Structure formats: C-alpha cells, structure tokens
Amino acid sequence: MSNELNILPELIFEISKEGKVGYSFRDIDISDDLIAIDKSKLREDIKDFPELSEVDVVRHYTNVSKLNHSVDSGFYPLGSCTMKYNPKINEKIASLKGLNTHPYSPTDCVQGNLEIIKELEKWLVNITGMHGFTLVPAAGAHGEFAGMMVIRKYLESKGDARKIVLIPDSAHGTNPASAHFAGYDIKEIPSNEDGVLDAKTVKEYLNEDVAALMMTNPNTLGIFEKNIMEIADLLHENGSLLYMDGANMNAFMGIVKPGDIGADVIHLNLHKTFSTPHGGGGPGSGPIGVTKELVQFLPVPLIIEGKDGYSVNYFNDAGIGRIKNFYGNFLVIVKALAYLMALGKENVSKVAEDAVLNANYIREKLKDVLDLPFKSKTLHEVIFSDKDLPVTTLDIAKRLLDYGIHPFTIYFPLIVHGAMMIEPTETESKETIDAFIDVMKKILDEAKKDPEYLKGAPYNTPVRRLDEVLAARKPVLKWINEENEG
Amino acid sequence: MQYFPLTDKQREEIKKEIGIKDIKELFSDIPQEKAWYSLDNLPNALPENELLKRFEDLGDKNTYSDYLSFLGGGAYNHFIPEVVNYLSNRSEFLTPYTPYQPEVSQGSLQAMFEYQTMMAMLTGMDFSNASLYDGGTAAIEGALLALRKSKKNKILVAENLHPEYMEIIYSYVQNLGIEVEQVRYNRETGKVELDELKDKLNSEIGGFVFQSPNYFGVIEESKEISDIVHSEKKAYSVQVVAEALSLPFLTPAGDNGVDIIVGEAQSFGLSLSFGGPYLGFIAAKKEFLRQMPGRLVGQTKDVDGKRGFVLTLSTREQHIKRENATSNICSNQAWCALRAGIHLSTLGKSGLSKISKLNHLNTAYFVKEIEKFDFVNVKYKKDFFNEVVLELKNDNGIEFLEKLKNRKIFAGIPLKWFYKDADNQVLINFTEMHNKADIDLLVKEIGDLK
C-alpha cells in the first residue's frame, strides 16, 4: 500500500559516528590531579552511547516528531482525556527566566512563585467550593492517592481508619489502585440501568467498615451522578466520606461546585480541564481540594499567605507528610493559572457549556447509526457501543487513523461492549466536528460494504497494525548493538 | 474569547439540532438549587499582552537571579543546549496524549525507547522504564519493587538518603504494613556503616535502599553494599541517585551488582523550575521485569514487517490490574524523558564525560581553596562528586548562610533543616555552570566572614 515508500527514521544509536560532537562548552581548566575519587570508582566509557553533530540531533528528532498525531495537528476526541487546545502564550510564560528558580531558595527571594501557587489555589477554591487545596500531586493518580491518604488520616484522627473503599464498576483503574496504596480494600459497586449510582444500592453497601466512596462525576459514561447529594448524605450519616474524581470537571466547571453537592475530597487534572499539554503522557498535575475539616491533613509543603508576604510550612506533623519533592510540577501550575487568567471569571462556565454542546451535537448526529447503550443525558462526552456492527470498535478506530483523526477512547468503560468514548472538548469548531461526523458515517458505510478492508486498517499511517503480542512475549526494551552480539 | 471557536450563530444551530432552547437544559441532571454560581471573587479575562506582563511582573518579584547560587540537594543548575528547548517544544511532542494508538504515536514511542536505552546504558542495567514522577517517588517505587519481588515486608534504608526522599518513603508505607528501619552513616566518612548493615540484615529484610552519591555528596561503596545485601536470600540492593550527572562519571550500578537503580534525572535537560516538573527514573536487572511499575515501551513489528514500538507488558498496570497493579501511576513525566533523551544525545558520550568531570573538579578546586581557612572545614574530603558538607567552627549554618546572602550569595542548604545534630553544617553544590571566578568569590566571601 501507500506506506511502502514511507521510510522510518533510524534509531539515534544507528546514526551515531565515533568522534562527532553536538554541543559546545568551555574546556576544563582544572588539573586532573585534584580528582578526589579512587580510580576504581571512575567510569571509563559509556559503551555505544550516541555521538552526533547538532544538525544530526535536530534532523533526527524533527523527523521522529513527524510520526505523531497531536492536538495541534488534528482532532483528538479521546474520551475522558480532555484533549483541548493548549494555548501557546502559556508555553512562553512557563519559559520566563524570572520564574526559573531553585526550590530551596530563601522564601523572600521567590515571592512571585509562591504567589503563583497561592493564586491558583484561590481560583480552584472558588471554582470547586472546596475549602483548601494542595498543588503538590504530580498527576491525577497521585492526587487520588494523596486524597485517600488524607481521608484515612482524618478517620484515624477520629479513632477509626476503617477498611473498605467503594468504587463503581465504571471507574478508571487508577481509583482502585490508588485506594489500595492508601491501605484500603476495594469493593466494586454496580451502577444502575441509567448508568449512574442509586442511593438505594449505595445504602446496601454501607457499613461501619466503609471509609469512603470514590465517585467520578460526571462518570466515565459522561453522565452526571444525579443522586450525588443523597449519596453524600448517606455516606456522611454512616461516618464515611465522598471522594470525587474530578477527571471530567470540564463538564461542569463553573456550573456547579463539587463542594456544594457533598464532596469531601476532589482531585482535578490540570493537564485536562486546565489546558496544560499532555506531553505524550505527562507531566500532569493533580491538585486535591478538601473540606475545612480535612485541610490540616494535606501533604507538605503548605504555602501560607501573611501580612509580610508568603511563607512555607515545610513540615506538618498532623498531615499525611510528604508525597513528592518540592512544590509539585510547578511549570504545569504556571500554565494552568495563565489559562484561568486568560479565561477570566466570565468565561469559566462557557468552557463547560461549549464542551457539552459539542458532545451532544455528536451524540445527536451519530445516534441513528451507532448503538447508544445508555439513554440518559450526557455531558462532555458520549459513549457508543459496537453492537450490531459488522466490524469491531478497534477496526473503526484504526480506520479513523487513515482519515487523519485520532480515535476516541476504545473499550472503556468496561461495562459497555466495545465502547467508543468520544469527547470533543470546547476548543473544537463546528467545522471539525461536522467533518468527523461525515468520516464516521463514511467508515460505517465502508464497514457494511467491505468489513474485511476495515480489519486491515490503517493503511496510510507511518506503521500499520503492530504486533502487541510479540512485544509482550519477547520484550525488547532497549536497542542492542548487533555488532557486539555474536 | 480566542479559545472558543464556536460562533454564536453556530451555537444556536447546534441547540436547534439537538432540540433545546436554553443551554441550561443540557445540565438539568445537576441539582438546580446549587447550579449556576457566580465567581465574583475572581478577576476578569486578561488579554494576551497583559497576561504576559502580569507573569513578567511575578517573575520580577523573584529576586533569585540577583544571587550567585550554590544550591543543590536534589535540584541542580546545569547547562542545557538550546536544541533541547527547541526540539521538545515542537507541538508534535508537546500536545499528544499517552501513545494509546501506536500507529500515529511512533514519534513519542521511538523517543521513549531511545530514552530507555540511554538510561540502561548509563546505569549499566538490563532495562529502564519510561519514567516516574521524580526522585523521591522513584525511591519509594524502588523500595516497593524490591519488596514485591522478595515477597517480604521489611526494608532497610540508609540514614543519609535525601531527607525528602526519606519522608516520602515513610508517607507511602504508613498504611501498607511495611516496616522501615534505618542504617546509620559513619560520622567520619559520611558513608553507610557497613557493619551496622550486616547486623541489621536478616531473612525478613527484602532490600536495602541507599543513595550514592549520598545526600552529603559522598560516593558509597555500592559494590560492597550489594555483596552484603546479597548474602541474604531474596534481599535486593536499591541504589538511589539524586544527581544523575554522576552516572556518566562513576562505575555503573550494574557493574557494582546493584539490583535496582532509581532517582532523579532533572540534571538531564530540565531547568530548575522551582522544583518541577522533574524526571523520576527506574532501571533494573531483567528478573524485575514483570514487577516493574509504570510504562514500558517495547519494540515489535507491524503487519508489513516494519519495525515499530508499542506500550507493552501493560498487564502490570492499573488500567488492567486495578487494585492489584504494581503501581497506581498512569500519567508520568514522558515529555521530561523526551527532553532527557534529546539532552543526552546532544551532549553525547564526550560531552557527558567532560561536563560530569568538570562538576567534580570544580568541587575539588573549592575543597583545595577552602583549606586555607581554619574556621571552616570540609567534612568529607574523599569520594565526593559535586557536593560537599562544610562544617563551621564559629557559626551555625543558618546564620552563616544569611551573612553570605547579604553578600548576594546563596552558599548552600543548612543541614539543620533536616538533621538535629547538624546545626553547624551546610551542603554546597558546584556544577559546570560555576567558573573559577565564581568559586574564588565564594571562598573570598567566606574568608571575609572570619
């Protein structure tokens, strides 16, 4: 097919040539006689390590980069990942020299940076209705872990840590994993035929061992957990807490505050709702917000705003302790604050409004050609199944690649057969979405006429379907210099 | 506003299409008595030029750049070639998600595979993962990896581990039924007490976590340590490295018999950035493969037989194994690992050797120059890499640093922050970014304090 002539870049090790130099730096002006380490501890050579000129490095990484689909190159409706546009001014701001300081600088010399952290905390407090925030967690899962630790510390302070955390069957895998690392056993709780949790069901699962319920809201079906206030009341009566996973906060930011509808702890993903780029998998940032009763248990460091400026509590015996070095992923925090300041208070709810409008438009346009497993109202994303199709969700996803569109999230949540989870976000135009709808219809048409052809897709990508079984069965996790082998 | 491409007319068209009159109808599942709140305490939208100005002003409130800094302690100011910024900021690298669709993510995947290879080469290990959050969380992941493999729940940790890493370990284990016991360091050499390690090691111990170069900058006897640890069945040595630039200068961990190496690779192309984002790394012997935390990129073939790369061995991970996963990590520090890969390729074999050596020689030069004063003393004079502890005879550390701060120098970190018995000690770091004149100035200013 068309990619026969498509030549992939070699690995950086394969273009290395002995003696090439890619950097410039002053020569060493101190005698080797001063070396204060035993010779036996010194390294002789880094075998096979790359040696390249600067232009070699630039061409290599430029050509490698071109093999990626990205938000800046096209539509990326990956459900639950909120692949919104990443504003360019935020990158410029994050690179400002004035912000680039050492984390152990005396606090009077980094007042600007501490103000940035405190400012973002204020924005998040106002948006979510939580009492206090920490911006330390490095990612969503790290926030979940910190949040569950806070819950545990709080319950311990009451003399009863409890054993069990309830998690709905539609939850992300990080929820049970994070609760487990906070020392809890997991009990899965089913959602009802409308795709949400029933207060009645929750009640059945409650007992004196239940520490908390982790609820993603809107859940991974894109449906708002409309019984949240009733469920929160039940939990609180039982002495349990409500953890709200805010991965999908883009759906109702500015519409309703989690703190007003019963959440005790929430985490947010700055790399989703607050526009910071995903960078091919990270760095993210997963701040957690908590109620007044829980603030004292937050991880260190804590930034304190006083009359004479900002200071830092680097130790706090009451809390869960330290969970990460320094202040968190600071530059991600900078970008998120820049995003919110650019939005301003008047545009916060507009994010959710347009995101939900776009998702419902896709739902409306595709509901006659794809199976909609849950008929409930959906917010920022819509989930279809591959029921009654002549091909699978995977085939459709792979065919989308040929049309230059990144597929939606596939086969998640697990409770939907062949799930296609589509999240367009508010930063996509109607033109882009219309084009996507057309392509989807075209593919479904192709599927009817020639399902075998779709099973071979993609055809126009740098590589075609990859053998994942081979990768796992005979793991090759680094380049091996074949010249050294044999 | 520029981030919303829908026009009002299109919004109306879509509303009509989906059969609603008011946008609020879409949110009717939300408890209406609580919905549609105001954000009166927050500011209005800032236009782009004013936004930039606002952050420039915040940057100006930081007076950090007015000072000559010798701060280290797990965050180091190193040379970053401009190509690292230029290439890593390409939006093809910056704006994709985790490579879940490998056919259109070969760029991220190949860069990660190359990063994994370079880290394996630098550490002398069989394989590396695709990144963890930072040095501190990597330390606990290393400890947990050793315990999973050994099926034990007690671990020894060196007292001279980075104090923040130590705190992180204690935070993480508090609810996991894992016991942590410390092994003291020798007050003369700054190194782990090997006799105490031997004494404390027994069949219940799953491993020993130690840092080299340790928090005081001193290179540990990794080989002897590993040998001692291995005298016990199913006990593993876990080396922590907070200064990754020591890797190209020193015998690789793999050659010293270390089982797992973890740490902080901020020194590979990441600016100080007030502490993040940085880059946690973990590499190990191949027997740890199935227990490894985090993402791994592996090589494979496509249907046409072409070489390609995919995320692999994901049955270890949370999205498959849920509460039984090896770690809860999902988002990692992929873009930081990309920067590390570009940085390492650009400096290459010769650049890494030269710059790491310059770090050591700058430090050694300071040690020699400061000898002329009898009111200060370098505490551990042998086997340091690029940090030393300075002991003060007349001063406590905090006052000493305050005096030098008044002379526009950040001369180091007061060890009193973390150690009760170290009132008069400060930790000083030297990198290739300091030239002789900077070090001479530091020495002169210290001399003037007498």
Side-chain angles (χ1 to χ4, degrees):
Chain A
M1 282 302 298
S2 60
N3 71 349
E4 289 286 308
L5 287 173
N6 185 348
I7 292 163
L8 293 170
E10 290 178 280
L11 289 171
I12 197 134
F13 313 98
E14 294 162 343
I15 56 171
S16 168
K17 281 276 175 312
E18 202 182 327
K20 284 199 186 188
V21 174
Y23 74 101
S24 78
F25 202 81
R26 75 183 151 86
D27 286 330
I28 296 179
D29 49 358
I30 297 166
S31 158
D32 274 8
D33 296 344
L34 287 188
I35 290 180
I37 307 174
D38 268 358
K39 261 231 165 85
S40 65
K41 291 198 173 76
L42 296 180
R43 183 168 200 156
E44 281 173 11
D45 181 38
I46 319 163
K47 206 155 156 265
D48 294 328
F49 212 78
E51 296 178 81
L52 303 150
S53 70
E54 183 172 322
V55 64
D56 291 336
V57 175
V58 171
R59 288 238 171 95
H60 175 76
Y61 280 101
T62 302
N63 287 323
V64 166
S65 80
K66 287 181 184 166
L67 306 177
N68 272 354
H69 182 91
S70 66
V71 171
D72 284 3
S73 58
F75 194 37
Y76 212 131
L78 198 60
S80 228
C81 299
T82 315
M83 296 301 285
K84 65 169 74 178
Y85 172 68
N86 315 123
K88 302 311 156 201
I89 185 68
N90 298 353
E91 298 306 316
K92 161 105 179 166
I93 287 169
S95 72
L96 288 174
K97 284 215 160 49
L99 307 182
N100 185 26
T101 69
H102 194 284
Y104 287 139
S105 318
T107 48
D108 64 308
C109 302
V110 287
Q111 288 291 303
N113 284 351
L114 295 172
E115 186 174 337
I116 286 170
I117 295 174
K118 211 63 204 173
E119 272 301 298
L120 183 58
E121 284 181 13
K122 273 184 214 162
W123 272 92
L124 300 182
V125 161
N126 275 285
I127 287 172
T128 62
M130 305 311 287
H131 187 79
F133 261 88
T134 173
L135 310 187
V136 169
H142 203 214
E144 292 170 15
F145 169 69
M148 293 314 294
M149 296 274 283
V150 165
I151 286 175
R152 192 171 177 116
K153 206 78 182 174
Y154 165 77
L155 292 172
E156 274 172 4
S157 79
K158 303 241 156 199
D160 184 13
R162 305 191 172 204
K163 295 193 188 96
I164 292 167
V165 170
L166 303 178
I167 298 182
D169 50 11
S170 59
H172 296 117
T174 50
N175 283 183
S178 301
H180 170 78
F181 279 95
Y184 282 111
D185 293 334
I186 313 305
K187 197 166 234 172
E188 196 172 282
I189 175 165
S191 31
N192 68 16
E193 64 276 11
D194 295 330
V196 295
L197 282 177
D198 266 335
K200 210 174 100 231
T201 314
V202 172
K203 198 168 182 180
E204 284 164 21
Y205 278 74
L206 285 181
N207 60 48
E208 61 202 16
D209 273 340
V210 174
L213 167 75
M214 288 183 97
M215 174 195 275
T216 304
N217 199 10
N219 63 28
T220 61
L221 297 165
I223 304 169
F224 188 82
E225 292 281 356
K226 60 183 175 193
N227 306 315
I228 182 169
M229 290 176 77
E230 204 182 338
I231 290 171
D233 286 345
L234 286 172
L235 287 162
H236 294 151
E237 277 163 31
N238 191 56
S240 317
L241 299 185
L242 177 61
Y243 182 100
M244 201 199 92
D245 180 330
N248 295 331
M249 190 72 194
N250 213 47
F252 64 75
M253 171 163 80
I255 312 282
V256 70
K257 297 178 184 181
D260 286 352
I261 52 175
D264 297 295
V265 181
I266 68 163
H267 86 261
L268 301 171
N269 299 69
L270 299 188
H271 50 291
K272 294 181 181 176
T273 314
F274 301 93
S275 90
T276 72
H278 292 68
S285 177
I288 57 170
V290 298
T291 55
K292 199 171 180 184
E293 294 73 35
L294 301 180
V295 167
Q296 59 175 308
F297 304 106
L298 288 176
V300 287
L302 302 161
I303 319 286
I304 314 295
E305 188 175 356
K307 272 204 303 272
D308 304 323
Y310 300 92
S311 59
V312 179
N313 261 3
Y314 223 67
F315 303 96
N316 169 30
D317 286 342
I320 64 168
R322 195 177 306 283
I323 55 160
K324 190 191 177 312
N325 297 135
F326 315 121
Y327 298 95
N329 281 338
F330 177 69
L331 293 185
V332 181
I333 291 165
V334 169
K335 293 177 201 180
L337 178 62
Y339 170 68
L340 283 169
M341 286 173 138
L343 279 183
K345 65 178 174 194
E346 62 270 41
N347 287 311
V348 171
S349 61
K350 211 165 161 188
V351 169
E353 288 174 21
D354 278 4
V356 173
L357 205 57
N358 275 344
N360 276 279
Y361 181 52
I362 292 175
R363 173 175 162 147
E364 178 64 29
K365 289 290 202 177
L366 292 179
K367 70 171 193 218
D368 295 334
V369 288
L370 283 171
D371 171 60
L372 195 62
F374 291 94
K375 308 291 183 268
S376 306
K377 259 197 166 88
T378 44
L379 291 173
H380 66 298
E381 62 194 5
V382 55
I383 285 85
F384 294 105
S385 87
D386 63 1
K387 198 175 139 216
D388 301 331
L389 292 181
V391 295
T392 64
T393 288
L394 185 72
D395 299 328
I396 295 171
K398 295 302 180 193
R399 186 63 178 148
L400 272 172
L401 298 172
D402 283 333
Y403 288 95
I405 292 172
H406 194 284
F408 26 74
T409 294
I410 56 175
Y411 299 103
F412 186 83
L414 308 171
I415 54 174
V416 172
H417 187 272
M420 304 176 211
M421 186 200 239
I422 310 173
E423 180 182 13
T425 85
E426 77 285 3
T427 63
E428 292 302 332
S429 67
K430 184 165 180 294
E431 293 74 21
T432 302
I433 292 172
D434 281 333
F436 167 72
I437 291 162
D438 286 347
V439 167
M440 281 298 288
K441 287 182 174 166
K442 211 161 157 186
I443 291 174
L444 292 169
D445 209 36
E446 288 176 347
K448 261 182 234 153
K449 288 182 187 140
D450 190 357
E452 284 313 305
Y453 185 69
L454 254 65
K455 289 182 194 307
Y459 299 98
N460 302 325
T461 46
V463 293
R464 295 183 54 208
R465 280 194 210 196
L466 289 146
D467 190 343
E468 304 201 8
V469 175
L470 173 70
R473 217 174 256 166
K474 291 186 181 163
V476 179
L477 305 176
K478 64 177 182 185
W479 172 77
I480 306 286
N481 187 353
E482 278 165 10
E483 285 171 19
N484 297 341
E485 302 291 294
Chain B
M1 210 252 154
Q2 74 270 31
Y3 306 149
F4 300 108
L6 290 182
T7 65
D8 282 342
K9 189 162 166 271
Q10 289 176 323
R11 288 188 181 97
E12 291 309 315
E13 283 168 22
I14 295 176
K15 278 196 239 169
K16 204 169 161 195
E17 193 89 42
I18 60 183
I20 59 162
K21 287 216 168 67
D22 187 335
I23 188 79
K24 291 188 178 178
E25 292 171 50
L26 291 174
F27 297 92
S28 61
D29 279 349
I30 291 177
Q32 290 301 301
E33 69 275 23
K34 300 287 184 190
W36 309 102
Y37 59 94
S38 83
L39 288 166
D40 289 340
N41 296 331
L42 296 170
N44 286 318
L46 278 182
E48 185 170 310
N49 58 329
E50 290 173 36
L51 183 70
L52 180 61
K53 177 77 170 56
R54 175 95 175 86
F55 277 90
E56 283 170 345
D57 291 347
L58 284 162
D60 289 342
K61 286 191 190 175
N62 296 327
T63 54
Y64 171 82
S65 59
D66 299 343
Y67 297 79
L68 175 61
S69 170
F70 295 91
L71 297 168
Y76 302 96
N77 182 32
H78 289 298
F79 166 63
I80 301 173
E82 192 48 38
V83 294
V84 178
N85 297 322
Y86 181 84
L87 291 168
S88 65
N89 283 327
R90 285 183 68 87
S91 56
E92 295 91 335
F93 283 135
L94 193 62
T95 71
Y97 203 72
T98 303
Y100 290 141
Q101 295 290 338
E103 297 88 344
V104 292
S105 311
Q106 287 298 302
S108 295
L109 287 161
Q110 179 167 338
M112 284 181 209
F113 184 80
E114 292 173 349
Y115 161 82
Q116 288 178 180
T117 304
M118 286 186 246
M119 291 309 288
M121 287 175 174
L122 284 169
T123 57
M125 287 292 179
D126 291 326
F127 73 106
S128 155
N129 92 348
S131 73
L132 295 170
Y133 303 138
D134 66 4
T137 56
I140 178 64
E141 290 284 9
L144 294 175
L145 175 57
L147 290 173
R148 269 197 304 279
K149 181 79 183 162
S150 67
K151 297 196 169 75
K152 301 177 191 174
N153 59 10
K154 195 168 170 185
I155 193 137
L156 299 176
V157 180
E159 185 193 7
N160 54 7
L161 176 72
H162 191 302
E164 288 203 21
Y165 296 16
M166 185 76 91
E167 288 178 49
I168 293 166
I169 288 178
Y170 278 106
S171 297
Y172 266 73
V173 302
Q174 59 189 296
N175 303 313
L176 297 177
I178 290 168
E179 204 182 317
V180 176
E181 192 176 347
Q182 294 193 24
V183 176
R184 284 163 52 84
Y185 68 90
N186 183 300
R187 266 49 186 174
E188 298 303 312
T189 63
K191 297 183 189 182
V192 167
E193 278 291 5
L194 297 181
D195 286 339
E196 187 170 320
L197 174 62
K198 279 179 206 157
D199 284 350
K200 291 194 166 164
L201 197 69
N202 60 49
S203 61
E204 287 175 13
I205 306 285
F208 177 51
V209 179
F210 69 101
Q211 183 176 328
S212 181
N214 64 35
Y215 187 62
F216 309 127
V218 182
I219 300 153
E220 292 282 353
E221 304 298 325
S222 302
K223 192 166 187 321
E224 271 184 86
I225 287 174
S226 294
D227 287 347
I228 293 169
V229 172
H230 293 152
S231 68
E232 197 62 63
K233 254 189 215 160
K234 294 218 164 194
Y236 304 107
S237 61
V238 182
Q239 182 180 339
V240 177
V241 176
E243 170 48 300
L245 199 66
S246 64
L247 297 173
F249 194 57
L250 303 173
T251 322
D255 293 6
N256 289 330
V258 170
D259 298 296
I260 299 164
I261 182 166
V262 294
E264 176 59 66
Q266 174 261 330
S267 293
F268 294 158
L270 294 158
S271 60
L272 286 168
S273 309
F274 202 42
Y278 286 2
L279 172 59
F281 72 89
I282 181 165
K285 290 182 181 166
K286 59 175 177 285
E287 61 196 275
F288 294 90
L289 185 58
R290 308 272 160 183
Q291 294 294 338
M292 195 69 164
R295 295 194 180 115
L296 292 166
V297 175
Q299 182 180 308
T300 187
K301 286 184 173 128
D302 78 352
V303 289
D304 297 329
K306 265 191 190 174
R307 176 168 70 185
F309 305 93
V310 291
L311 293 176
T312 192
L313 298 169
S314 55
T315 51
R316 303 162 295 114
E317 292 184 74
Q318 45 75 29
H319 59 279
I320 313 261
K321 275 277 170 64
R322 301 176 85 85
E323 66 266 32
N324 297 318
T326 56
S327 167
N328 70 331
I329 192 168
C330 182
S331 283
N332 57 15
Q333 304 286 112
W335 184 74
C336 303
L338 166 81
R339 283 185 68 99
I342 301 169
H343 184 82
L344 292 169
S345 315
T346 307
L347 291 186
K349 191 189 273 199
S350 64
L352 283 171
S353 299
K354 174 165 137 181
I355 286 175
S356 58
K357 188 172 175 183
L358 192 46
N359 274 255
H360 176 65
L361 285 174
N362 270 347
T363 314
Y365 176 70
F366 170 79
V367 170
K368 183 179 109 199
E369 291 297 305
I370 204 74
E371 253 177 16
K372 61 188 173 207
F373 304 129
D374 57 3
F375 65 102
V376 292
N377 174 45
V378 171
K379 198 156 165 47
Y380 313 114
K381 291 194 179 63
K382 204 172 168 306
D383 289 346
F384 52 80
F385 174 57
N386 69 356
E387 280 181 300
V388 286
V389 172
L390 193 68
E391 206 171 20
L392 319 164
K393 294 197 176 143
N394 312 332
D395 253 324
N396 83 36
I398 289 177
E399 284 164 11
F400 171 83
L401 293 173
E402 192 60 34
K403 286 179 199 166
L404 287 163
K405 187 182 157 211
N406 291 335
R407 294 160 184 253
K408 295 287 173 201
I409 295 176
F410 294 144
I413 297 167
L415 290 185
K416 185 189 161 74
W417 278 357
F418 300 111
Y419 298 93
K420 285 196 182 78
D421 62 348
D423 266 12
N424 64 337
Q425 294 175 29
V426 296
L427 182 67
I428 311 184
N429 162 248
F430 302 88
T431 74
E432 75 284 3
M433 300 301 268
H434 299 113
N435 54 36
K436 256 185 175 167
D438 295 330
I439 302 168
D440 289 340
L441 180 66
L442 175 66
V443 170
K444 180 191 163 293
E445 296 287 357
I446 291 174
D448 287 352
L449 291 183
K450 195 183 177 181

